[in-house]
Amino acid sequence: MKYKNDIERIVESLDTLKNNFPKDFPLLIDDIVSIKGDVITVGIGKSGIIATKLSSTLCSVGVRSFFVHPVEAVHGDLGRVRDGDLCIVLSHSGNSPELKGFLTYCTLNSIPVCAITNNVESYLAKNSKYLLNYRADSEICPNNLAPTISTTVAITICDLIAVQAMRQTGFSDN
């Protein structure tokens, strides 16, 4: 049965993440729990959906956060990004042209960026303070088109960010 092989490939990708966990992760968490501003999540396509989910989860655990679409950002929503904020940008390739204007703005305004990407040589990775890279060279999609393994690994990293921030802030339901 094909799906068992697919599940095994997903599990292998998570094992790879576990055994090669990004070194910048604890530094990012320290900044998230100490920032004066908001955590802004950014992404386009499937990465945008994951970024939206990350923002929502951060809010659920007591971290002020909102999602900004990178195209809308360069058409006026950059005004939402302020000094004291931290941006988490998701992009599998790290070279989506829609992200470049947003990243330029962050660089010019000394707003720290965390890249969550598969491509350590990308424009995103090279223009970020923190790099949370993952390995997802192929998807389980038979045509290697539909994001599957890459989205699973990216969302896992995002969930770990939220949970670790929650632990460090001591957030509870009380």
Side-chain angles (χ1 to χ4, degrees):
M1 293 185 190
K2 288 277 186 197
Y3 71 89
K4 288 186 178 184
N5 292 335
D6 294 341
I7 292 170
E8 184 58 37
R9 287 188 54 211
I10 292 169
V11 169
E12 287 172 7
S13 71
L14 292 172
D15 279 341
T16 298
L17 175 66
K18 181 176 81 172
N19 295 323
N20 299 289
F21 203 73
K23 292 179 177 66
D24 286 349
F25 185 85
L27 302 171
L28 171 68
I29 300 303
D30 288 345
D31 264 11
I32 287 173
V33 299
S34 66
I35 63 167
K36 294 181 176 85
D38 298 317
V39 174
I40 299 161
T41 64
V42 178
I44 193 149
K46 305 300 181 288
S47 294
I49 294 167
I50 296 169
T52 301
K53 194 264 189 199
L54 171 58
S55 178
S56 179
T57 304
L58 287 170
C59 289
S60 295
V61 300
V63 176
R64 289 189 333 257
S65 180
F66 59 89
F67 172 79
V68 172
H69 192 284
V71 174
E72 297 300 323
V74 296
H75 289 279
D77 284 358
L78 282 173
R80 298 180 74 193
V81 182
R82 303 177 324 269
D83 185 43
D85 290 342
L86 182 147
C87 297
I88 300 176
V89 181
L90 287 90
S91 173
H92 180 68
S93 73
N95 288 316
S96 299
E98 298 88 353
L99 296 175
K100 291 186 179 180
F102 183 85
L103 293 169
T104 298
Y105 177 84
C106 289
T107 299
L108 292 174
N109 290 281
S110 301
I111 296 169
V113 172
C114 169
I116 300 178
T117 185
N118 184 62
N119 186 354
V120 297
E121 298 299 321
S122 66
Y123 184 85
L124 171 59
K126 291 179 180 179
N127 286 279
S128 296
K129 179 177 181 179
Y130 306 106
L131 175 59
L132 304 184
N133 64 298
Y134 59 85
R135 299 296 307 153
D137 296 327
S138 65
E139 308 290 355
I140 59 173
C141 165
N143 298 317
N144 200 34
L145 297 173
T148 50
I149 290 178
S150 59
T151 53
T152 299
V153 176
I155 206 163
T156 299
I157 291 170
C158 291
D159 285 343
L160 291 169
I161 290 169
V163 169
Q164 191 59 38
M166 180 181 178
R167 285 182 177 136
Q168 284 205 10
T169 62
F171 182 85
S172 71
D173 62 352
N174 297 331

Tab-separated table of all heavy atoms in Angstrom, residues 38-42 64-68 80-82 85-89 102 111:
chain	number	residue	atom	x	y	z
A	38	ASP	N	5.258	43.011	18.382
A	38	ASP	CA	4.487	41.835	17.976
A	38	ASP	C	5.346	40.884	17.154
A	38	ASP	O	6.344	41.284	16.552
A	38	ASP	CB	3.301	42.264	17.106
A	38	ASP	CG	2.337	43.170	17.846
A	38	ASP	OD1	2.032	42.881	19.014
A	38	ASP	OD2	1.900	44.168	17.253
A	39	VAL	N	4.922	39.631	17.109
A	39	VAL	CA	5.499	38.669	16.177
A	39	VAL	C	4.631	38.710	14.934
A	39	VAL	O	3.427	38.472	14.987
A	39	VAL	CB	5.528	37.241	16.764
A	39	VAL	CG1	6.010	36.249	15.711
A	39	VAL	CG2	6.408	37.185	18.003
A	40	ILE	N	5.257	39.052	13.827
A	40	ILE	CA	4.543	39.149	12.551
A	40	ILE	C	4.941	37.952	11.713
A	40	ILE	O	6.131	37.686	11.523
A	40	ILE	CB	4.891	40.462	11.834
A	40	ILE	CG1	4.468	41.630	12.721
A	40	ILE	CG2	4.225	40.525	10.472
A	40	ILE	CD1	5.118	42.925	12.377
A	41	THR	N	3.954	37.214	11.246
A	41	THR	CA	4.236	36.061	10.404
A	41	THR	C	3.905	36.402	8.964
A	41	THR	O	2.963	37.145	8.692
A	41	THR	CB	3.459	34.813	10.869
A	41	THR	OG1	2.051	35.048	10.733
A	41	THR	CG2	3.799	34.458	12.313
A	42	VAL	N	4.717	35.872	8.053
A	42	VAL	CA	4.617	36.221	6.635
A	42	VAL	C	4.859	34.972	5.803
A	42	VAL	O	5.719	34.161	6.126
A	42	VAL	CB	5.674	37.292	6.270
A	42	VAL	CG1	5.621	37.646	4.792
A	42	VAL	CG2	5.513	38.536	7.133
A	64	ARG	N	1.580	38.114	21.412
A	64	ARG	CA	0.905	38.996	20.448
A	64	ARG	C	1.472	38.750	19.054
A	64	ARG	O	2.679	38.814	18.838
A	64	ARG	CB	1.094	40.457	20.834
A	64	ARG	CG	0.319	40.851	22.067
A	64	ARG	CD	0.357	42.354	22.303
A	64	ARG	NE	1.514	43.027	21.771
A	64	ARG	CZ	2.553	43.449	22.494
A	64	ARG	NH1	2.586	43.257	23.790
A	64	ARG	NH2	3.554	44.072	21.912
A	65	SER	N	0.582	38.491	18.111
A	65	SER	CA	1.022	38.135	16.768
A	65	SER	C	-0.076	38.430	15.756
A	65	SER	O	-1.261	38.417	16.091
A	65	SER	CB	1.368	36.644	16.716
A	65	SER	OG	1.790	36.256	15.430
A	66	PHE	N	0.346	38.696	14.524
A	66	PHE	CA	-0.591	38.787	13.410
A	66	PHE	C	0.127	38.430	12.121
A	66	PHE	O	1.355	38.472	12.038
A	66	PHE	CB	-1.275	40.160	13.328
A	66	PHE	CG	-0.340	41.330	13.158
A	66	PHE	CD1	0.049	41.768	11.905
A	66	PHE	CD2	0.125	42.010	14.272
A	66	PHE	CE1	0.898	42.849	11.746
A	66	PHE	CE2	0.979	43.106	14.123
A	66	PHE	CZ	1.359	43.521	12.864
A	67	PHE	N	-0.658	38.054	11.128
A	67	PHE	CA	-0.156	37.666	9.809
A	67	PHE	C	-0.222	38.870	8.878
A	67	PHE	O	-1.191	39.628	8.894
A	67	PHE	CB	-1.010	36.535	9.233
A	67	PHE	CG	-0.694	36.208	7.796
A	67	PHE	CD1	0.412	35.443	7.470
A	67	PHE	CD2	-1.501	36.675	6.776
A	67	PHE	CE1	0.712	35.149	6.145
A	67	PHE	CE2	-1.209	36.387	5.442
A	67	PHE	CZ	-0.101	35.615	5.134
A	68	VAL	N	0.814	39.035	8.073
A	68	VAL	CA	0.827	40.038	7.007
A	68	VAL	C	1.142	39.327	5.697
A	68	VAL	O	2.145	38.611	5.604
A	68	VAL	CB	1.869	41.151	7.270
A	68	VAL	CG1	2.009	42.070	6.069
A	68	VAL	CG2	1.498	41.960	8.504
A	80	ARG	N	2.031	48.395	9.371
A	80	ARG	CA	1.733	47.566	10.553
A	80	ARG	C	3.006	47.038	11.209
A	80	ARG	O	2.981	46.596	12.356
A	80	ARG	CB	0.857	46.384	10.148
A	80	ARG	CG	-0.494	46.812	9.594
A	80	ARG	CD	-1.333	45.628	9.210
A	80	ARG	NE	-1.820	44.987	10.438
A	80	ARG	CZ	-2.380	43.801	10.463
A	80	ARG	NH1	-2.514	43.103	9.360
A	80	ARG	NH2	-2.818	43.285	11.601
A	81	VAL	N	4.120	47.062	10.488
A	81	VAL	CA	5.388	46.520	10.970
A	81	VAL	C	6.182	47.669	11.592
A	81	VAL	O	6.514	48.635	10.913
A	81	VAL	CB	6.181	45.864	9.818
A	81	VAL	CG1	7.471	45.251	10.332
A	81	VAL	CG2	5.327	44.827	9.096
A	82	ARG	N	6.468	47.539	12.894
A	82	ARG	CA	7.084	48.639	13.623
A	82	ARG	C	8.358	48.204	14.335
A	82	ARG	O	8.615	47.023	14.521
A	82	ARG	CB	6.093	49.175	14.662
A	82	ARG	CG	4.771	49.641	14.104
A	82	ARG	CD	3.804	50.096	15.200
A	82	ARG	NE	3.862	49.356	16.436
A	82	ARG	CZ	3.121	48.278	16.731
A	82	ARG	NH1	2.277	47.797	15.848
A	82	ARG	NH2	3.226	47.678	17.900
A	85	ASP	N	9.150	44.953	16.672
A	85	ASP	CA	8.524	43.727	16.181
A	85	ASP	C	9.582	42.721	15.761
A	85	ASP	O	10.756	43.056	15.603
A	85	ASP	CB	7.620	44.025	14.977
A	85	ASP	CG	6.366	44.797	15.340
A	85	ASP	OD1	5.989	44.835	16.523
A	85	ASP	OD2	5.763	45.378	14.413
A	86	LEU	N	9.153	41.499	15.559
A	86	LEU	CA	9.991	40.424	15.027
A	86	LEU	C	9.173	39.716	13.961
A	86	LEU	O	7.994	39.438	14.182
A	86	LEU	CB	10.366	39.457	16.152
A	86	LEU	CG	11.283	38.295	15.791
A	86	LEU	CD1	12.173	37.969	16.981
A	86	LEU	CD2	10.515	37.070	15.379
A	87	CYS	N	9.764	39.453	12.813
A	87	CYS	CA	9.052	38.816	11.702
A	87	CYS	C	9.541	37.387	11.498
A	87	CYS	O	10.746	37.140	11.495
A	87	CYS	CB	9.253	39.612	10.419
A	87	CYS	SG	8.578	41.273	10.514
A	88	ILE	N	8.590	36.487	11.332
A	88	ILE	CA	8.894	35.098	10.983
A	88	ILE	C	8.348	34.882	9.579
A	88	ILE	O	7.143	35.006	9.349
A	88	ILE	CB	8.271	34.098	11.971
A	88	ILE	CG1	8.806	34.342	13.388
A	88	ILE	CG2	8.554	32.663	11.513
A	88	ILE	CD1	8.182	33.458	14.455
A	89	VAL	N	9.256	34.607	8.644
A	89	VAL	CA	8.892	34.492	7.236
A	89	VAL	C	9.100	33.048	6.798
A	89	VAL	O	10.183	32.493	6.951
A	89	VAL	CB	9.727	35.447	6.358
A	89	VAL	CG1	9.321	35.332	4.900
A	89	VAL	CG2	9.584	36.888	6.855
A	102	PHE	N	9.280	43.116	1.184
A	102	PHE	CA	9.065	43.016	2.625
A	102	PHE	C	10.402	42.876	3.354
A	102	PHE	O	10.653	43.561	4.351
A	102	PHE	CB	8.153	41.836	2.942
A	102	PHE	CG	7.826	41.721	4.399
A	102	PHE	CD1	6.783	42.431	4.935
A	102	PHE	CD2	8.585	40.912	5.233
A	102	PHE	CE1	6.480	42.352	6.291
A	102	PHE	CE2	8.300	40.820	6.581
A	102	PHE	CZ	7.248	41.545	7.115
A	111	ILE	N	14.474	45.527	11.602
A	111	ILE	CA	13.473	44.631	12.182
A	111	ILE	C	13.969	43.203	11.970
A	111	ILE	O	14.175	42.783	10.829
A	111	ILE	CB	12.095	44.860	11.542
A	111	ILE	CG1	11.625	46.285	11.860
A	111	ILE	CG2	11.088	43.823	12.022
A	111	ILE	CD1	10.435	46.746	11.089
